[in-house]
Amino acid sequence: MAYRNIKITKGADGFGGPLIIEPTETRNKVLCVTGQTISPVAKKIAEMTGCELVDGFSTTVPDEQVAVAVVNCGGTARCGVYPRKKILTVNVEPVGAVGPLAQYITPDLYVSDVKESNLSYTDESAASAATVSADNQPKTKEEAKQEVAAAQEGQKQNLVTRIGVGVGHVVNKFFAAGRDSIDMVIRNILPFMAFTSTLLGIIQASGLGNVIANTISPFCSTLPGMILISFICGLPFLSPILGPGAVIAQVVGTLLGAEIAKGNIPAQYALPALFAINAQVGCDFIPVGLSLAEAEPETIEMGVPAVLYSRVITGPLAVVVAYLFSFGLF
Amino acid sequence: MDIITNIAQGFIGWFTTGGETFTGWVTNIIPQIVCLLTFMNSIIKLVGEEKVERTAQKFTKYALLRYTIFPMLALLFLANPMGYSLGRFLDEKYKPAYFDAFAAFAHPVTGLFPHANAGELFVYMGIAQGLQQAGYELGGLAVRYFIVGLIVALFRGVITEKIYFHLTKADD
């Protein structure tokens, strides 16, 4: 039996990889640990590589014979167990380096959210030739009948299991969503709260707050003052400096909020103020954002000044529009 | 000795004020945000990125949709910063304008859908918290922020597009 090398990349929400599976005479099993049913991904891997497919729930094989393990783990144990043993692991669920064994889940051993479309031969040309020749072989009637029967049989057997797998799939997604939320709170929201509340505490307790109230508040209580702020924030040489992480806009927003709470800035100026302090939004990020959009280097070269110049006009314009929309708000 | 004690107490006092603010934010903001984030993240995972991409591509043809609905879908389903990547479905000459429209909407979206830019909530949240303390309802502000955000995204897109064309002498 000739073995073939394949490449497995991560899916849209996946992590890790790409993995190259290189089966040998001794290391030639695809271990499928996906519960009652064999995952179609495992089947396809076995088909493509020429390895033997082994259901990990009914039999076991020595670790050194496993070319790759396929799991459907929501992030508790299985996804870490195989990487820990240095076995290449494919997870069909979109799970990153999490769970109690998270430290073993590394991109060189692990890839997740894998679907059949993520599998490819390492030598692409030969692969397409092979599939073409296979398709061209006319099927005998017997074979076709057998295939249909096999497919139907599979469906009947799996109805209950399928519901189970479907429910499990949805629950896994909810669980992953919860983990993402908590992750976001811990990584971004809480640290910002810690830093800003400390800063606010110092400003309020030290009397600096009164200085701000007396100097900045008047600007934020008139339309011309806010247009001026947005114009300054949008100046092409200032906006990229003011941009990063929206930290400045967020701190200023919080300070203005405190002034609004105290009544130093009228509430109806909240909406235009949101735009006045944020004319610089994203200006630090233009080249990165454009390369995320797969823009050519020439586009980025001229795109950066285009956005920066545009802000000088659109910054104040945004404040005016917001001002008009704030009538009747409070 | 009294002077030192007073200074020390004043110093600690600064952080007591900060701590109270912090506790207020954690108990008022985080529980709601966590549930909302989880709900929206679940929907995004259930819908799947490919479907969003296929739908979003239908809104790229006209400037009116390209700089409003298109970045809105990008933010709601891919969030900041990955939503920028939907720009790859646009003609090369529209990419800088799409960037600008997306960035313009990246904060106005957070009033109603904080998951879209959860790392930068306090542009809106900072001001909103102040209003809440002063006894105002936030619903109206969030909705208007969203609508004005879309309008700003539209004219940022259109104006940046014009400036870019001017800079590159490209044809419209």
Side-chain angles (χ1 to χ4, degrees):
Chain A
M1 178 91 205
Y3 298 112
R4 300 196 51 185
N5 297 350
I6 65 165
K7 183 173 151 189
I8 306 176
T9 55
K10 64 177 177 176
D13 296 320
F15 166 89
L19 300 183
I20 307 288
I21 311 294
E22 298 169 311
T24 61
E25 288 299 327
T26 50
R27 194 176 266 274
N28 58 1
K29 306 269 197 298
V30 174
L31 180 65
C32 182
V33 199
T34 52
Q36 303 296 312
T37 50
I38 297 288
S39 154
V41 172
K43 230 177 256 175
K44 185 89 185 287
I45 294 175
E47 219 170 82
M48 287 173 78
T49 54
C51 286
E52 186 190 338
L53 183 59
V54 179
D55 183 356
F57 271 77
S58 47
T59 49
T60 54
V61 285
D63 288 345
E64 61 273 10
Q65 291 182 17
V66 177
V68 58
V70 179
V71 299
N72 63 343
C73 173
T76 41
R78 264 176 291 154
C79 62
V81 167
Y82 296 100
R84 191 184 180 187
K85 294 197 269 190
K86 300 283 173 222
I87 293 174
L88 297 178
T89 305
V90 169
N91 195 349
V92 296
E93 296 295 339
V95 168
V98 293
L101 299 173
Q103 77 255 39
Y104 301 104
I105 300 175
T106 52
D108 56 324
L109 286 172
Y110 177 90
V111 61
S112 71
D113 195 24
V114 173
K115 300 181 180 60
E116 283 149 276
S117 55
N118 298 115
L119 310 175
S120 59
Y121 290 104
T122 45
D123 45 349
E124 199 51 58
S125 54
S128 52
T131 46
V132 167
S133 66
D135 286 346
N136 286 345
Q137 280 176 359
K139 282 178 190 162
T140 65
K141 268 190 181 171
E142 271 310 301
E143 273 177 358
K145 266 187 194 168
Q146 274 176 357
E147 267 180 31
V148 171
Q152 280 176 345
E153 193 184 33
Q155 273 177 354
K156 272 178 202 158
Q157 265 182 351
N158 291 339
L159 188 62
V160 177
T161 330
R162 275 191 178 191
I163 294 170
V165 169
V167 170
H169 195 63
V170 171
V171 170
N172 265 339
K173 291 205 166 170
F174 279 130
F175 190 43
R179 200 195 326 266
D180 284 354
S181 313
I182 296 297
D183 208 44
M184 178 58 88
V185 168
I186 290 177
R187 274 174 206 234
N188 292 315
I189 300 178
L190 275 176
F192 184 81
M193 285 179 169
F195 146 68
T196 318
S197 53
T198 310
L199 195 69
L200 265 184
I202 292 174
I203 288 173
Q204 281 171 2
S206 66
L208 208 67
N210 296 330
V211 178
I212 292 171
N214 294 332
T215 53
I216 297 180
S217 298
F219 280 104
C220 291
S221 310
T222 64
L223 182 59
M226 274 191 295
I227 291 177
L228 180 68
I229 292 176
S230 68
F231 178 75
I232 294 171
C233 290
L235 287 174
F237 56 91
L238 271 183
S239 54
I241 308 169
L242 294 174
V247 171
I248 292 181
Q250 291 189 89
V251 171
V252 174
T254 314
L255 289 176
L256 289 185
E259 295 306 316
I260 290 173
K262 281 191 270 175
N264 290 333
I265 298 174
Q268 64 264 33
Y269 285 103
L271 188 60
L274 280 166
F275 289 93
I277 61 173
N278 211 12
Q280 75 281 12
V281 55
C283 282
D284 57 306
F285 201 71
I286 307 170
V288 191
L290 284 175
S291 35
L292 279 174
E294 293 168 16
E296 304 290 335
E298 303 85 65
T299 312
I300 298 175
E301 196 185 324
M302 295 314 275
V304 172
V307 173
L308 292 182
Y309 295 154
S310 158
R311 291 303 171 90
V312 183
I313 307 166
T314 60
L317 194 55
V319 175
V320 174
V321 173
Y323 180 76
L324 295 177
F325 267 81
S326 68
F327 289 125
L329 177 53
F330 295 112
Chain B
M1 195 62 201
D2 281 352
I3 298 168
I4 297 173
T5 315
N6 284 339
I7 290 173
Q9 258 172 2
F11 181 71
I12 295 295
W14 291 7
F15 302 105
T16 316
T17 319
E20 280 162 11
T21 312
F22 184 71
T23 323
W25 285 348
V26 170
T27 52
N28 288 332
I29 298 176
I30 289 192
Q32 193 196 356
I33 293 281
V34 165
C35 295
L36 194 53
L37 283 182
T38 308
F39 178 73
M40 289 308 296
N41 285 341
S42 311
I43 290 182
I44 291 166
K45 282 183 198 295
L46 288 173
V47 172
E49 205 169 307
E50 290 96 15
K51 266 185 213 138
V52 174
E53 286 176 355
R54 242 178 292 140
T55 314
Q57 282 186 63
K58 291 175 187 151
F59 297 99
T60 56
K61 201 174 170 197
Y62 304 102
L64 181 65
L65 302 173
R66 186 164 62 233
Y67 303 128
T68 54
I69 307 288
F70 187 54
M72 186 178 85
L73 285 177
L75 269 159
L76 289 183
F77 287 95
L78 299 178
N80 181 37
M82 279 324 289
Y84 285 112
S85 67
L86 276 197
R88 69 183 185 278
F89 295 124
L90 294 174
D91 274 357
E92 198 64 28
K93 58 182 176 181
Y94 296 135
K95 285 177 182 175
Y98 168 71
F99 170 90
D100 212 9
F102 183 93
F105 197 57
H107 292 122
V109 72
T110 57
L112 294 174
F113 300 102
H115 72 283
N117 196 358
E120 302 174 358
L121 284 180
F122 270 81
V123 177
Y124 169 76
M125 204 68 92
I127 287 185
Q129 278 281 298
L131 280 170
Q132 212 166 27
Q133 278 173 35
Y136 294 100
E137 290 291 325
L138 296 181
L141 180 69
V143 171
R144 284 172 197 232
Y145 193 30
F146 193 89
I147 295 170
V148 177
L150 281 180
I151 297 171
V152 172
L154 176 63
F155 69 65
R156 272 208 177 134
V158 171
I159 292 176
T160 305
E161 188 184 294
K162 292 274 175 289
I163 294 177
Y164 180 74
F165 287 171
H166 181 75
L167 288 177
T168 56
K169 307 271 187 292
D171 298 323
D172 202 334

